[in-house]
């Protein structure tokens, strides 16, 4: 089998292997730790769903933990926890991931458990009736957490007809209507090797990882036979920009999100977006925090955010404030948007923002799990691998003109869609 694998050394301790059947394996060796992180990413998630099946990817993610042909749900739970490790999963818009953090000596055990869950779940009706209730409770939790719910409302407002605007958890109506056959159909068309990425980081070698991956059957098949094809993400229409939507809810605070569509994950301008977002609302020293919280006392929680996906991105601001002060807070935020769009970042302000971003990028890679995530993301989002040094140089090379162009395009107040959630629709 090794003769048919295409292995490339991406960096000093980083390798990528592609098998004939399409599965991609990435690893980074970190010899200074005694642990390892390993995960499998399925390139199918909420962005691939039809509206009536909204939430099916997330429900399947839950259901594979309920038992396999070899393990009960309890045996899955004990398999790694009994060794001091952890096992988890999540569903995003572009992928569904299953990952573990274990002692380096338990790497093969972790991959065995994850493979078992992904390739051989039983998906019983009896388990579905129970787990459906768990997911419905999860949806209720979001409804009881307005600072989460307002983001779901924003996605729906910006992409009302596209799966990027769907709720990842689904709705109570769609989840209640999903059947075991729906889960089995999704599993058949999405959970096959050619649609998966395996990534690992920690005290391991790429050759040993490949041997374990092969032992688990991930290299079986040549990819030439007709494999199930997951539908591509539908073309993303232009996001709805510059509208205001107020949703009434009996809450103690008014929760407001300003947001606009930006750029995909693989776009190199994302590093410039991170720099601008950091100085705009990335911490206690940011402009929004200093203006809205420290100077005006209008909010406790205020921050900027960036999210990058395979086909698009989002950037914006969240604030939670007293209903009577909501309009003042929104006015102050619009003022900062206008200032950023007009002035950009210059001189010392730009250098400080770049240094903050450089520090965050370096600190974010301190754990094997973080390194695993970074490798997987390059494959999930179709990004060319860049070493940390290359990324840092990209940030350091950002000019005032680069930042001014991003600020003028994406921070213009008239471009922002605004969604508020609270008493009287968020109006004071």
């Amino acid at each position: 089998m090794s003769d048919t694998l295409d292995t490339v050394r991406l960096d000093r301790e980083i390798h990528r292997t592609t098998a004939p059947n399409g599965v991609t394996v990435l690893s980074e060796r970190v010899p200074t730790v005694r642990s390892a992180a390993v995960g499998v990413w399925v390139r199918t998630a909420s962005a691939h769903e039809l509206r009536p099946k909204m939430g099916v990817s997330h429900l399947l993610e839950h259901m594979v933990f309920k038992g396999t042909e070899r393990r009960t749900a309890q045996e899955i739970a004990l398999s790694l926890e009994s060794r001091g490790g952890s096992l988890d999963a999540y569903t995003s818009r572009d992928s569904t991931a299953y990952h573990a953090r274990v002692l380096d000596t338990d790497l093969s055990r972790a991959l065995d458990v994850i493979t078992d869950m992904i390739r051989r779940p039983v998906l019983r009706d009896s388990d579905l009736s129970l787990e459906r209730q768990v997911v419905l409770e999860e949806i209720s939790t979001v409804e009881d957490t307005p600072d989460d719910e307002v983001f779901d409302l924003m996605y729906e407002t910006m992409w009302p007809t596209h799966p990027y605007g769907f709720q990842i958890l689904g709705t109570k109506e769609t989840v209640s209507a999903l059947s075991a056959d729906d889960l089995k159909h999704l599993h058949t068309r999405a959970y096959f090797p050619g649609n998966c990425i395996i990534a690992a980081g920690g005290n391991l070698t790429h050759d040993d990882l490949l041997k374990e991956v092969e032992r688990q059957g991930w290299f079986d098949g040549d990819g030439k036979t007709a494999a199930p094809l997951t539908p591509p993400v539908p073309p993303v229409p232009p996001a709805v920009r510059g509208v205001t939507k107020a949703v009434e809810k009996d809450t103690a605070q008014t929760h407001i999100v300003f947001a606009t569509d930006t750029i995909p994950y693989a776009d190199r301008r994302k590093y410039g977006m991170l720099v601008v977002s950091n100085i705009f609302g990335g911490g206690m020293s940011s402009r929004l925090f200093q203006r809205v919280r420290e100077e005006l006392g209008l909010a406790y929680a205020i921050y900027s955010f960036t999210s990058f996906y395979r086909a698009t991105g989002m950037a914006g601001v969240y604030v939670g404030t007293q209903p009577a002060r909501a309009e003042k807070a929104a006015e102050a935020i619009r003022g900062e948007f206008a200032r950023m769009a007009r002035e950009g970042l210059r001189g010392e302000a730009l250098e400080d923002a770049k240094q903050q971003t450089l520090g965050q990028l370096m600190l974010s890679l301190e754990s094997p799990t973080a390194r695993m995530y970074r490798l997987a993301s390059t494959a999930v989002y179709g990004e060319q691998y860049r070493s940390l040094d290359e990324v840092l140089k990209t940030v350091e090379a950002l000019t005032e003109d680069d930042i001014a162009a991003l600020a003028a395009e994406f921070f213009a107040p008239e471009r922002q869609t605004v969604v508020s959630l609270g008493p009287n629709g968020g109006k004071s």
Side-chain angles (χ1 to χ4, degrees):
M1 172 60 71
S2 59
D3 293 338
T4 62
L5 299 177
D6 179 16
T7 297
V8 178
R9 181 179 177 182
L10 300 175
D11 211 334
R12 190 164 62 92
E13 298 286 5
I14 299 177
H15 294 80
R16 180 185 64 213
T17 294
T18 305
N21 67 1
V23 67
T24 299
V25 183
L26 298 121
S27 77
E28 179 171 7
R29 182 171 179 260
V30 186
T32 56
V33 299
R34 295 290 300 275
S35 64
V38 62
V40 176
W41 275 253
V42 182
R43 290 185 177 98
T44 301
S46 69
H48 305 86
E49 295 172 356
L50 301 174
R51 187 176 292 276
K53 304 299 182 183
M54 192 190 306
V56 64
S57 300
H58 175 255
L59 184 57
L60 178 57
E61 174 228 306
H62 273 244
M63 282 292 292
V64 303
F65 282 84
K66 304 307 291 183
T68 71
E69 296 170 7
R70 293 168 45 198
R71 293 178 171 91
T72 65
Q74 186 177 26
E75 287 171 339
I76 291 173
L78 286 171
S79 59
L80 302 182
E81 285 189 5
S82 64
R83 307 278 296 180
S86 61
L87 176 65
D88 207 349
Y90 66 85
T91 304
S92 68
R93 285 177 165 77
D94 291 308
S95 64
T96 308
Y98 303 85
H99 54 93
R101 176 78 185 277
V102 293
L103 297 175
D104 51 15
T105 53
D106 287 331
L107 178 63
S108 61
R109 176 190 289 251
L111 187 58
D112 179 67
V113 172
I114 293 173
T115 300
D116 195 27
M117 291 166 54
I118 289 178
R119 305 294 298 278
R120 295 178 287 272
V122 287
L123 305 177
R124 291 180 289 253
D125 283 303
S126 57
D127 294 324
L128 175 58
S129 62
L130 291 173
E131 199 61 27
R132 189 199 318 275
Q133 296 305 312
V134 173
V135 173
L136 292 174
E137 288 295 333
E138 191 175 356
I139 293 172
S140 294
T141 298
V142 173
E143 292 175 349
D144 285 342
T145 313
D147 52 334
D148 286 340
E149 185 180 12
V150 70
F151 279 91
D152 280 347
L153 293 170
M154 175 57 79
Y155 278 95
E156 182 183 343
T157 302
M158 287 179 60
W159 291 289
T161 63
H162 190 273
Y164 274 152
F166 292 176
Q167 297 178 42
I168 294 174
L169 303 184
T171 67
K172 289 181 177 178
E173 292 72 25
T174 61
V175 171
S176 296
L178 293 171
S179 67
D181 284 342
D182 291 324
L183 300 180
K184 291 173 183 176
H185 177 66
L186 174 59
H187 184 266
T188 298
R189 68 177 174 82
Y191 282 50
F192 61 95
N195 199 38
C196 292
I197 298 154
I198 300 173
N203 191 20
L204 54 90
T205 69
H206 193 70
D207 286 344
D208 286 344
L209 177 63
L210 291 180
K211 291 175 184 175
E212 191 59 36
V213 168
E214 181 175 10
R215 193 173 74 83
Q216 294 292 340
W218 282 100
F219 294 151
D220 294 351
D222 56 11
K224 296 178 181 178
T225 56
L229 292 178
T230 176
V233 176
V236 182
V240 175
R241 299 174 183 167
V243 305
T244 298
K245 179 177 182 179
V247 179
E248 186 166 358
K249 186 163 186 161
D250 184 16
T251 56
Q253 284 188 308
T254 293
H255 302 267
I256 307 172
V257 172
F258 291 72
T260 188
D261 59 309
T262 58
I263 55 180
Y265 187 98
D267 192 317
R268 294 189 69 165
R269 291 179 297 165
K270 73 177 178 183
Y271 298 111
M273 286 296 298
L274 291 173
V275 168
V276 181
S277 183
N278 270 332
I279 205 72
F280 195 57
M284 290 189 295
S285 63
S286 68
R287 293 181 177 182
L288 285 173
F289 192 96
Q290 288 295 314
R291 175 63 175 160
V292 177
R293 176 169 161 166
E294 297 298 284
E295 292 179 23
L296 301 177
L298 295 174
Y300 172 75
I302 182 165
Y303 59 84
S304 61
F305 62 87
T306 54
S307 301
F308 303 107
Y309 304 107
R310 187 171 181 90
T312 187
M314 179 191 280
V317 172
Y318 163 84
V319 66
T321 184
Q322 293 298 311
R325 301 177 178 180
E327 287 188 7
K328 289 184 178 179
E331 182 181 355
I333 292 169
R334 286 191 183 93
E336 290 303 317
F337 267 112
R339 177 186 169 202
M340 180 63 78
R342 182 177 63 251
E343 300 176 2
L345 294 175
R346 301 191 178 280
E348 188 175 340
L350 175 56
E351 293 308 310
D352 288 346
K354 291 198 294 188
Q355 184 55 53
Q356 182 180 359
T357 304
L358 292 170
Q360 290 176 347
L361 289 169
M362 287 185 278
L363 290 172
S364 70
L365 296 177
E366 286 290 291
S367 73
T369 299
R371 291 168 185 252
M372 171 191 70
Y373 282 149
R374 179 171 181 255
L375 290 178
S377 294
T378 62
V380 167
Y381 298 111
E383 182 184 39
Q384 180 183 354
Y385 172 80
R386 298 184 185 93
S387 69
L388 178 59
D389 286 344
E390 289 174 320
V391 171
L392 298 181
K393 288 178 181 177
T394 299
V395 174
E396 290 169 346
L398 289 168
T399 66
E400 293 180 354
D401 287 345
D402 294 332
I403 298 301
L406 291 171
E409 180 176 0
F410 298 114
F411 286 73
E414 62 273 14
R415 183 185 173 112
Q416 309 306 312
T417 287
V418 184
V419 174
S420 61
L421 177 66
N424 301 317
K427 298 176 181 178
S428 60

